[in-house]
Amino acid sequence: METRLVHEEQVGHRVPDGALGRLCAEIFAPLPRSDQRRKGELYLRGLLSAGGRKSMRNIATHVGDRAAEQSLHHFISASTWDWGPVRATLARYLERSLRPRAWVVHPVVIPKAGRHSVGVARRFVPSLGQVVNSQEAFGVWAANEETSSPVNWRLMLCEDWRDTDRLGPAPMPQDTHLAATPLECVTGAAAEVRTWTGDSPRPVVVDLPDLSPTALARALGVARLPFLASVRGSTAVAPATPAVLGNDGRPTSAHQLLRMVRTLRRPVTWSDPESLASRTSLVAGVQVRLPGVQRPLLLLGEWTGTGGWPQQCWITDMTDAPWGALLRLAKLTLRVETDFAEVATRVGIVDFEGRSFGGWHRHTTLASAAHVLSTEYRDQRSQPMAWPA
């Protein structure tokens, strides 16, 4: 029998129809009704087949049934099915198939022209250096050096949006989904992934240097999640062994402290996910303490040249890990950035236009599943997909 294919026009991938059906059977198994499972597969098929913006009309058109538009709109924006168990099943699938080295946090700013899309507000975006009318979301991605896929999401909600009357008709999830700050988004989403995937937590990699490293270390410590987080060179840290460094124990900047240990630098080779080229950096680390954080931490620096000042700094509680392994973990953020641009945006991860909070989460959940299929078939080229038993 000839294998039918789902064509993803923008990414240029062709996903076997059987592979789509098998993934849908697994991730939609928690949905209690057969009609919900059918609509879930239909919507996912539309995300993979529709070119351009993944509007409800465009999705319905590309699954061959314009009359399905209203039905799919209700399924996403006004239905009551819980996206959490679907994401949990997707996370467990990725644990088996992708075998991630870490959960990588990826922030997403989605500019909006109007004020009615869920979560939209005028906010200062540090990475852009300006105020933007936008949604701001944080994804937790399963990542290794070869590939990555989104697993869980939080949409940041300002006070005006933390009102159930504005968030849509579906029953509200637990309060942890109503995150008002980047820290709440990051720690809530990562901790939830941990509950889905068992008691052997993978490290959480965070590239948000404007987050307080002290607050992040405390929150992830409570969640029992190891972490590696980028920090500003100006971050104040205290050396754990000041006498060894000729320091009196007073806090100093991360840059200054790493400059003091630059003679310890060693070369580390890592792979650039965009160019696929092999890169070499110099890396050194020193144990430090942060105020209010009881456990020891490691400050890691990266030099791309021979100068005295590091180009990037990170703090981690994985103090026994080799410096090279830590740098390669940090570089997984580049893997996620590449896959977000090349795959996630093209399967509609940022295309939801509705006002429903539940609708945003359901759409993002199914777009994450579309990303998984596109990435797996991209990685396997023309080979058949190998599905775990």
Side-chain angles (χ1 to χ4, degrees):
M1 181 182 294
E2 183 179 355
T3 302
R4 292 194 300 125
L5 298 172
V6 176
H7 295 264
E8 204 296 287
E9 299 172 8
Q10 294 233 342
V11 186
H13 304 158
R14 298 190 303 170
V15 177
D17 192 63
L20 171 65
R22 287 189 291 272
L23 181 63
C24 287
E26 181 168 349
I27 65 171
F28 296 140
L31 299 185
R33 290 168 23 198
S34 60
D35 66 309
Q36 292 175 331
R37 296 191 289 273
R38 286 195 302 271
K39 289 174 184 175
E41 181 169 347
L42 194 65
Y43 195 83
L44 184 51
R45 188 182 299 276
L47 291 172
L48 289 165
S49 62
R53 181 170 291 277
K54 306 302 187 289
S55 66
M56 204 67 67
R57 176 167 296 180
N58 198 11
I59 289 171
T61 298
H62 279 80
V63 295
D65 184 5
R66 280 288 299 275
E69 181 179 348
Q70 185 173 355
S71 175
L72 289 176
H73 173 79
H74 182 273
F75 172 71
I76 294 295
S77 294
S79 184
T80 58
W81 63 270
D82 186 354
W83 59 85
V86 177
R87 289 183 185 175
T89 306
L90 186 63
R92 289 189 287 269
Y93 168 77
L94 287 169
E95 276 275 83
R96 302 195 314 269
S97 62
L98 192 149
R99 298 189 181 280
R101 290 192 59 209
W103 305 116
V104 177
V105 174
H106 183 64
V108 182
V109 175
I110 310 168
K112 294 288 183 180
R115 303 298 298 273
H116 300 297
S117 295
V118 61
V120 73
R122 290 188 59 78
R123 51 171 60 91
F124 179 75
V125 180
S127 61
L128 300 177
Q130 61 184 1
V131 175
V132 180
N133 191 66
S134 62
Q135 295 168 319
E136 188 166 6
F138 295 82
V140 174
W141 291 56
N144 59 31
E145 286 84 354
E146 290 77 35
T147 191
S148 65
S149 287
V151 172
N152 201 17
W153 293 89
R154 289 291 187 274
L155 180 65
M156 197 161 73
L157 301 172
C158 65
E159 190 62 36
D160 287 347
W161 277 102
R162 294 168 69 86
D163 178 346
T164 55
D165 290 338
R166 293 195 69 188
L167 292 176
M172 294 304 302
Q174 66 254 34
D175 290 342
T176 53
H177 284 78
L178 302 181
T181 67
L183 181 64
E184 290 178 357
C185 289
V186 170
T187 57
E192 190 171 34
V193 171
R194 187 188 191 285
T195 67
W196 297 337
T197 55
D199 292 329
S200 299
R202 301 186 186 280
V204 179
V205 179
V206 183
D207 187 14
L208 294 168
D210 291 301
L211 277 185
S212 162
T214 297
L216 184 65
R218 287 174 175 171
L220 292 178
V222 170
R224 294 183 293 127
L225 284 166
F227 75 95
L228 175 69
S230 62
V231 295
R232 300 283 184 200
S234 57
T235 302
V237 293
T241 54
V244 174
L245 299 172
N247 181 285
D248 59 7
R250 288 182 298 179
T252 186
S253 73
H255 264 173
Q256 186 62 41
L257 190 56
L258 286 167
R259 182 181 173 87
M260 294 170 67
V261 300
R262 67 187 183 278
T263 56
L264 302 177
R265 295 179 298 187
R266 62 190 65 169
V268 172
T269 301
W270 53 278
S271 178
D272 185 329
E274 187 169 12
S275 66
L276 303 181
S278 184
R279 310 280 188 194
T280 300
S281 299
L282 296 174
V283 178
V286 58
Q287 289 208 14
V288 297
R289 297 192 179 279
L290 289 175
V293 179
Q294 298 301 314
R295 63 193 187 283
L297 302 170
L298 180 75
L299 174 65
L300 187 76
E302 177 195 17
W303 289 257
T304 54
T306 57
W309 301 104
Q311 275 69 52
Q312 292 202 66
C313 312
W314 296 270
I315 281 181
T316 179
D317 59 353
M318 295 178 285
T319 56
D320 294 330
W323 295 347
L326 291 172
L327 180 68
R328 294 185 191 101
L329 277 180
K331 296 301 181 181
L332 292 179
T333 59
L334 302 179
R335 173 77 269 165
V336 171
E337 288 173 9
T338 299
D339 288 346
F340 177 82
E342 293 183 356
V343 183
T345 57
R346 298 178 183 181
V347 295
I349 207 83
V350 299
D351 287 351
F352 184 71
E353 296 286 353
R355 304 183 186 186
S356 162
F357 177 77
W360 185 91
H361 274 284
R362 294 185 190 98
H363 169 87
T364 308
T365 300
L366 300 191
S368 297
H371 177 106
V372 170
L373 281 169
S374 294
T375 301
E376 287 195 334
Y377 201 65
R378 174 198 66 181
D379 291 344
Q380 297 180 37
R381 309 289 179 179
S382 59
Q383 300 299 316
M385 295 183 75
W387 292 82

